Amino acid sequence: MTRNLDSEQETPLERRRQRVFRVWMWSATASYLVAVLAAQQWARGAGAWRVALLLLPVVCVAWLIGLIVLRARQLDEYQRQLLLPGLVTGFALSMLTALTLGALHEAGLTVPSSGWPVALVGIFGWEFTNVLVKAPIS
């Protein structure tokens, strides 16, 4: 009798939430890229705006984190259970990469733009784990 209530398809509200999340994530990502390019282009001098321009990408990343937290709060219990392993794996791989790069730096090997490998390893670890556990695609 409850078989008709259990649907594998997403509700219109869930599809709308996914579309809104994707638009906001792409907007935040584009804002981050613009902020990084602006910081590289105009933050070379020692002016008062230098610190603000250099911190602008951090604001964009904070926006991304806020969006992920908001999206996680919108998920039901089962979807959260599927999302958590990816987040944990991505975080752990990011920390491992950061510690490895720090150890290499102490040994005298400097990796230019070492923040990028940390971020990319974390993102790919998160997404790969999501594929393995069949987490919801947001």
Side-chain angles (χ1 to χ4, degrees):
M1 182 179 248
T2 62
R3 190 175 319 151
N4 294 338
L5 297 175
D6 296 336
S7 173
E8 302 243 347
Q9 295 180 346
E10 295 168 339
T11 65
L13 176 64
E14 181 60 27
R15 284 193 300 273
R16 181 180 176 280
R17 285 179 174 169
Q18 284 181 359
R19 279 193 308 273
V20 168
F21 177 72
R22 283 189 201 116
V23 168
W24 281 105
M25 285 295 286
W26 281 109
S27 299
T29 303
S31 299
Y32 173 78
L33 292 175
V34 168
V36 167
L37 292 174
Q40 288 177 351
Q41 185 68 26
W42 296 310
R44 298 193 193 280
W49 288 100
R50 182 174 194 266
V51 174
L53 279 172
L54 290 174
L55 290 177
L56 192 57
V58 176
V59 173
C60 297
V61 171
W63 182 19
L64 285 165
I65 292 169
L67 290 171
I68 292 169
V69 170
L70 177 64
R71 180 67 180 133
R73 291 178 58 129
Q74 292 174 340
L75 298 175
D76 63 23
E77 294 83 11
Y78 180 66
Q79 289 172 325
R80 283 185 197 161
Q81 185 178 1
L82 292 175
L83 185 67
L84 186 62
L87 290 174
V88 169
T89 303
F91 177 77
L93 288 173
S94 290
M95 292 302 99
L96 177 64
T97 305
L99 292 171
T100 302
L101 290 173
L104 290 174
H105 181 73
E106 290 298 319
L109 177 68
T110 303
V111 178
S113 299
S114 58
W116 286 107
V118 173
L120 292 175
V121 166
I123 290 168
F124 287 129
W126 178 14
E127 290 298 330
F128 183 72
T129 304
N130 284 345
V131 168
L132 290 179
V133 299
K134 295 181 175 76
I137 299 172
S138 292

